[in-house]
């Protein structure tokens, strides 16, 4: 089992993300996730650096593997351009890069004025995008593609790693999980849902790697941790498909008014007690995930990383053994 650190591009600027990546490696984490957003979920988070620039900088200060969690290669950015960006990232990271993909959210993908497709169309677009990217990574000549959703005209990526890039796909429901099992090299989710993980494995995923991630709110006191989680990440408590269809941070702020501080307290690990942070991993361990990534909410990331270095990670290693 690998334990990774989740870099939150919605909450931290590029300099902070680069420093957190360096400190995560020093703390003993095995790998990194990094989110790929055009907008934050709300203005309280307040950041949204371009992920590909950040990954390039991280490659110069840190040797941990990096996975995007997740990139949408279908609407805002053409899959041929994502293929080039991912290939360059893999070269900079000496092959330690995984392209995590998903069907995206209107929050990020509507910004060029494109119509936000229904989920079945988004899955269809994603499958075609994967075909294009893999061809660009593996074929020696120029690639042309004339499909239902995309056209590529005599394109060739010259700077690419020696081995094809792995693609992991997020699946938060049965339909997306089935597509991930069929077309992806690994699985990504943010819920300790053992049934969906079993569905992924049974429907073609087999022994492909499965990653999951979640957030904690480190603070000197539990009360402060709950407050900052509710203020900055209240959107995490929104149910159903709202996260996929709301188009702007303003709409997420409006919807998040329905999320109570009490519900945040029940769903988020907050404070500075090491045993509480260890316990937060156990549902994911019990569900059978191969890699588990943790993000911090709020301004105390350095203190959180220190706690994990001295107490949390050693205990998780003991549990894993």
């Amino acid at each position: 089992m690998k334990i990774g650190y989740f870099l939150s591009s919605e909450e931290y600027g590029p300099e902070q993300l680069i420093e957190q990546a360096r400190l995560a490696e020093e703390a003993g984490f095995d790998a990194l996730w990094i989110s790929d957003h055009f907008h934050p979920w709300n203005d309280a988070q307040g950041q949204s650096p371009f992920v590909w620039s950040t990954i390039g900088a991280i490659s110069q200060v840190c040797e941990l593997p990096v996975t995007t969690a997740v990139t949408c290669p279908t609407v805002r950015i053409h899959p041929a351009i994502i293929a080039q960006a991912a290939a360059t990232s893999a070269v900079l990271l000496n092959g330690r890069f995984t392209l995590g993909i998903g069907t995206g959210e209107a929050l990020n993908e509507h910004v060029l004025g494109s119509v936000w497709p229904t989920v079945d169309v988004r899955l269809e677009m994603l499958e075609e995008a994967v075909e294009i990217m893999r061809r660009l990574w593996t074929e020696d000549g120029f690639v042309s593609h004339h499909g239902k959703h995309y056209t590529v005209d005599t394109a060739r990526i010259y700077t690419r790693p020696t081995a094809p890039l792995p693609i992991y796909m997020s699946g938060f429901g049965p339909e997306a999980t089935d597509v991930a099992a069929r077309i992806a090299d690994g699985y990504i989710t943010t819920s300790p849902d053992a049934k969906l993980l079993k569905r992924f494995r049974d429907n073609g995923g087999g022994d492909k790697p499965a990653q999951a991630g979640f957030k904690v709110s480190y603070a000197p006191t539990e009360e402060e941790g709950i407050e900052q989680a509710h203020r900055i990440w209240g959107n995490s408590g929104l149910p159903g498909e709202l996260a996929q269809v709301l188009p702007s941070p303003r709409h997420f702020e409006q919807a998040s008014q329905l999320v109570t501080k009490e519900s945040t307290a029940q769903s988020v690990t907050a404070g500075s007690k090491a045993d509480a942070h260890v316990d937060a991993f156990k549902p994911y361990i019990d569900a059978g995930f191969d890699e588990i990534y943790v993000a911090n909410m709020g301004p105390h990331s350095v203190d959180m990383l220190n706690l994990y270095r001295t107490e949390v990670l050693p205990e998780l290693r003991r549990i894993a053994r």
Side-chain angles (χ1 to χ4, degrees), residues 178-234:
D178 289 348
V179 175
R182 180 163 51 82
I183 72 169
D185 303 304
Y187 179 57
I188 291 176
T189 189
T190 56
S191 171
D193 192 324
K195 290 183 179 178
L196 276 182
L197 179 56
K198 184 177 186 302
R199 185 182 184 111
F200 171 78
R201 298 206 184 285
D202 290 348
N203 289 357
D207 59 358
K208 296 176 183 177
Q211 300 179 338
F214 67 99
K215 294 180 176 65
V216 298
S217 184
Y218 180 95
T221 67
E222 184 178 8
E223 181 179 355
E224 181 182 340
I226 292 169
E227 187 281 327
Q228 67 193 20
H230 184 67
R231 176 175 52 85
I232 302 172
W233 284 91

Side-chain angles (χ1 to χ4, degrees), residues 14-267:
E15 301 93 340
Q16 292 171 297
L17 295 171
I18 295 161
E19 179 66 1
Q20 287 178 25
R22 186 184 66 80
L23 292 174
E25 183 175 34
E26 290 182 359
F29 283 92
D30 299 312
L32 298 170
W33 262 12
I34 186 166
S35 54
D36 179 0
H37 270 239
F38 189 89
H39 291 139
W41 298 101
N42 56 54
D43 285 352
Q45 293 166 8
Q47 294 288 340
S48 199
F50 190 53
V51 71
W52 304 106
S53 301
T54 306
I55 290 171
I58 288 171
S59 73
Q60 302 305 295
V61 302
C62 173
E63 294 188 358
L64 294 180
V66 177
T67 301
T68 52
V70 294
T71 291
C72 177
T74 58
V75 179
R76 172 170 48 103
I77 305 180
H78 191 284
I81 306 304
I82 295 295
Q84 184 188 27
T88 300
S89 297
V91 170
L92 285 169
L93 287 159
N94 294 317
R96 301 184 308 275
F97 179 74
T98 297
L99 180 62
I101 61 168
T103 57
E105 306 91 12
L107 174 72
N108 302 302
E109 303 306 317
H110 81 285
V111 295
L112 300 181
S114 301
V115 173
W116 184 235
T118 58
V119 65
D120 56 329
V121 174
R122 299 202 307 270
L123 286 168
E124 188 178 78
M125 294 171 71
L126 190 62
E127 188 163 357
E128 186 176 339
V130 168
E131 177 189 351
I132 291 168
M133 292 188 293
R134 283 184 170 143
R135 288 188 63 193
L136 286 166
W137 292 333
T138 58
E139 295 186 15
D140 292 331
F142 287 88
V143 172
S144 292
H145 172 91
H146 301 280
K148 182 174 180 180
H149 300 287
Y150 303 107
T151 297
V152 177
D153 183 15
T154 55
R156 181 179 178 185
I157 295 177
Y158 282 83
T159 301
R160 62 190 193 187
T162 55
L165 278 74
I167 293 177
Y168 291 10
M169 179 179 160
S170 65
F172 303 126
E175 188 177 6
T177 299
D178 289 348
V179 175
R182 180 163 51 82
I183 72 169
D185 303 304
Y187 179 57
I188 291 176
T189 189
T190 56
S191 171
D193 192 324
K195 290 183 179 178
L196 276 182
L197 179 56
K198 184 177 186 302
R199 185 182 184 111
F200 171 78
R201 298 206 184 285
D202 290 348
N203 289 357
D207 59 358
K208 296 176 183 177
Q211 300 179 338
F214 67 99
K215 294 180 176 65
V216 298
S217 184
Y218 180 95
T221 67
E222 184 178 8
E223 181 179 355
E224 181 182 340
I226 292 169
E227 187 281 327
Q228 67 193 20
H230 184 67
R231 176 175 52 85
I232 302 172
W233 284 91
N235 59 281
S236 295
L238 294 176
E241 297 180 19
L242 282 175
Q244 279 73 55
V245 299
L246 295 179
S248 77
R250 173 170 54 90
H251 293 99
F252 278 93
E253 289 166 1
Q254 294 168 357
S256 295
Q257 293 176 19
L258 302 174
V259 180
T260 66
K261 186 179 286 188
E262 290 73 22
S263 66
T264 299
Q266 292 173 2
S267 62

